[in-house]
Amino acid sequence: MLFWFVMAYWMVSVGIGLYAATRVHNTKDFAIAGRHLPFYMVTATVFATWFGAEAVLGIPATFLKEGLHGVVADPFGSSLCLILVGIFFAAPLYRMNLLTIGDFYKKRFGRGVEVATTLAIVISYLGWVGAQITALGLVFNVVSGGEISRFAGMWIGSSTILIYVLFGGMWAIAITDFLQMIIIVIGMLWIGGEISGMVGGVGVVVDHAAQAGMFRFWPAADAKEIIAFAAAGMTMMFGSIPQQDVFQRVQSAKTEKIAIWGSILGGSLYFLFAFVPIFLAYSAMLIAPQMVAERVAADSQMILPQLVLDHAPLLAQVLFFGALLSAIKSCASATLLAPSVTFTENILKPLLNRPGHPLSDRKLLLAMRTVTLIFTLMVTLYAINSKASIFKMVENAYQITLVTAFVPLVCGIYWRRASNQGAAVAIFLGLATWLAILIAGPEDPFIPAQFAGLIGSVIGMVAGSLAPQLMHHNPAIHDELRHGHHAAAQTHHVPDLGHSHPHG
């Protein structure tokens, strides 16, 4: 019964995603939903994209092992990322009227920086999408009672998500995300109520966790521990900011104000709801301590699904697995589209464009869909062969963007003297420092590789920008981009929407 309920829900949501494909007529519709999304849809797609497998399976498993201290990266770092995007990045990026985050690097720092940052961003998505596909395999295996293997579940999940992303793009994701946010909220609150009733209320669980020292958050007064704590938090807080999926949600908004507040509210909702699965997983320790002990030793990601299967009634099971699938689908669909769009626009398009024969919008849309198909196959194979946990896959995904793309983005927007040379040196020094410590450094370095890489990137940007310029640098481009002048939009194939709404 559970399996057929879940499969029916799965097929209906895929059908809704395909229906959304009727709104896709060009690359702008496919990549950023034509810049037409209202406030409630932007908020929903920000929340639903981030509330993925790691929120329901990865974070609770890590919390049970390490307490609140262990989940500083997610949900603390990740939700702060979305709030910071809303406060500092949404408005200037929205005014620039670009199709991808790679377009920002191209206009601000030139072709070389565009290619380097785009490749880093695309590679970073392997871990995030891989985590969602791994979780899909787990869910299909559980709800089918073992009849569908994890391997087969991964292929079923990735291929069905691919169908509506391939045709519907950002429109399909936005509409399904709105519906999936409703399912996630209802499902999580319902199952929270069911489990709370079994343990004697929320207070009982919170008191038990407090007495067990699970709420220790801050590191001990030890330099190494403080640095490790800061590095874990900033990996997702800063490393997630220069990402195409975040940029798409900002650019898809109908107005600048919606872009700002949709990101802030979506991030705040994510932070609040991320604690529901943590509560459920800790409740499992009171309800089924033996099962939890076995699962922590074998596969801690299975604690929540096992608790629901063993102790919840059928309706609660349907709602839980419906919410879990919604969370994974919304996250996976967004993270399949984002790297595919940015790779096509910033790497492939300049190679396919010939002098006097620019690539037509129709052919560019076909290229985006083809790259989406290829990327889906790649990440599915990556997920099948990866041994990392869902939480680690997601956390590690952002290290490469933290050390390469974050500093050029911040300085490109907020520092007028940031130059093409500075950005190039920042990328090189950040990446080289990170890789050197990862490959040749000690197993447990005093300064974690990603933190050292970030410091290297900052030094590279400042030194490269202040040194005599060997590369062409035009400071005026900063003013054009920063203040949304028409000149910033005229060189791009997306029409300038600067005065199509009151906030442009």
Side-chain angles (χ1 to χ4, degrees):
M1 281 287 284
L2 172 64
F3 176 71
W4 291 114
F5 270 124
V6 167
M7 288 309 292
Y9 164 70
W10 182 262
M11 296 317 294
V12 167
S13 58
V14 170
I16 291 166
L18 282 173
Y19 163 74
T22 58
R23 294 180 175 227
V24 176
H25 306 294
N26 52 44
T27 50
K28 201 169 119 198
D29 289 337
F30 188 77
I32 53 173
R35 270 196 158 192
H36 289 311
L37 296 189
F39 177 65
Y40 68 91
M41 267 200 182
V42 173
T43 303
T45 194
V46 167
F47 168 83
T49 297
W50 283 62
F51 200 94
E54 73 286 355
V56 184
L57 302 175
I59 296 172
T62 305
F63 176 80
L64 289 182
K65 290 178 183 173
E66 303 174 34
L68 209 57
H69 179 80
V71 295
V72 60
D74 198 3
F76 289 92
S78 50
S79 52
L80 271 171
C81 157
L82 295 169
I83 292 166
L84 289 173
V85 166
I87 296 170
F88 296 108
F89 297 91
L93 286 174
Y94 189 85
R95 287 184 212 127
M96 290 173 197
N97 196 19
L98 309 170
L99 196 68
T100 68
I101 188 83
D103 289 345
F104 166 80
Y105 294 105
K106 175 175 67 180
K107 288 186 178 296
R108 184 66 175 86
F109 298 119
R111 175 70 178 152
V113 171
E114 172 198 15
V115 171
T117 50
T118 298
L119 288 174
I121 288 164
V122 170
I123 291 166
S124 76
Y125 276 99
L126 278 173
W128 199 8
V129 192
Q132 311 314 313
I133 291 170
T134 300
L136 282 174
L138 185 150
V139 172
F140 278 117
N141 177 254
V142 169
V143 298
S144 67
E147 292 295 315
I148 297 175
S149 68
R150 289 196 185 192
F151 175 82
M154 287 185 195
W155 281 112
I156 292 168
S158 62
S159 57
T160 47
I161 289 171
L162 172 67
I163 291 168
Y164 73 80
V165 174
L166 202 61
F167 294 103
M170 190 62 198
W171 264 120
I173 289 168
I175 292 171
T176 52
D177 275 1
F178 176 64
L179 297 169
Q180 282 158 188
M181 177 181 168
I182 295 168
I183 299 289
I184 290 167
V185 169
I186 293 172
M188 283 292 143
L189 291 178
W190 184 286
I191 197 75
E194 290 281 336
I195 298 298
S196 172
M198 293 179 198
V199 293
V202 176
V204 172
V205 178
V206 172
D207 288 345
H208 192 282
Q211 286 168 19
M214 299 298 283
F215 294 147
R216 185 181 75 83
F217 179 68
W218 299 107
D222 171 75
K224 187 172 184 297
E225 213 178 305
I226 291 168
I227 291 169
F229 179 82
M234 71 176 56
T235 299
M236 289 190 69
M237 193 192 311
F238 297 154
S240 310
I241 289 173
Q243 288 284 9
Q244 176 63 15
D245 62 281
V246 176
F247 179 84
Q248 275 175 310
R249 272 132 199 81
V250 167
Q251 292 291 21
S252 300
K254 200 181 283 188
T255 69
E256 184 182 309
K257 202 170 182 180
I258 288 172
I260 294 167
W261 288 104
S263 186
I264 292 171
L265 182 59
S268 304
L269 286 173
Y270 171 72
F271 181 75
L272 293 173
F273 272 88
F275 285 95
V276 178
I278 290 175
F279 165 76
L280 296 176
Y282 198 80
S283 299
M285 291 185 70
L286 306 182
I287 297 168
Q290 183 65 35
M291 181 272 286
V292 171
E294 289 168 5
R295 287 297 179 187
V296 165
D299 183 2
S300 54
Q301 292 164 170
M302 276 295 296
I303 289 171
L304 259 187
Q306 197 66 55
L307 173 75
V308 173
L309 282 175
D310 292 348
H311 297 278
L314 179 63
L315 177 60
Q317 290 180 23
V318 170
L319 284 168
F320 173 78
F321 284 103
L324 177 54
L325 281 173
S326 293
I328 299 167
K329 273 175 74 253
S330 56
C331 194
S333 58
T335 48
L336 283 176
L337 181 68
S340 307
V341 165
T342 196
F343 182 83
T344 309
E345 172 73 10
N346 300 108
I347 304 290
L348 211 54
K349 182 183 165 189
L351 298 176
L352 296 174
N353 263 334
R354 288 174 297 158
H357 297 281
L359 196 66
S360 70
D361 193 75
R362 197 167 135 272
K363 285 184 178 174
L364 184 62
L365 182 57
L366 177 63
M368 283 181 179
R369 285 173 165 156
T370 305
V371 171
T372 305
L373 172 63
I374 294 166
F375 189 75
T376 305
L377 292 172
M378 283 173 56
V379 292
T380 306
L381 290 169
Y382 170 81
I384 286 166
N385 292 296
S386 177
K387 298 288 183 282
S389 71
I390 289 169
F391 187 85
K392 278 294 168 196
M393 271 195 209
V394 171
E395 189 180 9
N396 293 341
Y398 298 110
Q399 292 194 15
I400 188 167
T401 44
L402 177 70
V403 302
T404 56
F406 175 68
V407 172
L409 177 67
V410 176
C411 294
I413 293 173
Y414 287 105
W415 189 32
R416 193 171 186 271
R417 291 190 67 177
S419 68
N420 300 16
Q421 179 176 287
V425 178
I427 292 166
F428 173 77
L429 209 56
L431 192 61
T433 308
W434 178 62
L435 288 174
I437 295 175
L438 275 185
I439 296 166
E443 198 169 308
D444 185 23
F446 184 77
I447 298 178
Q450 74 270 30
F451 198 179
L454 178 63
I455 294 167
S457 186
V458 171
I459 292 169
M461 174 58 85
V462 174
S465 297
L466 297 181
Q469 297 299 299
L470 303 176
M471 297 168 68
H472 172 71
H473 173 52
N474 176 17
I477 194 69
H478 171 266
D479 302 324
E480 287 182 2
L481 286 175
R482 183 73 176 85
H483 303 293
H485 289 178
H486 286 281
Q490 285 165 355
T491 54
H492 196 273
H493 73 267
V494 179
D496 181 19
L497 303 183
H499 295 293
S500 63
H501 50 72
H503 302 284

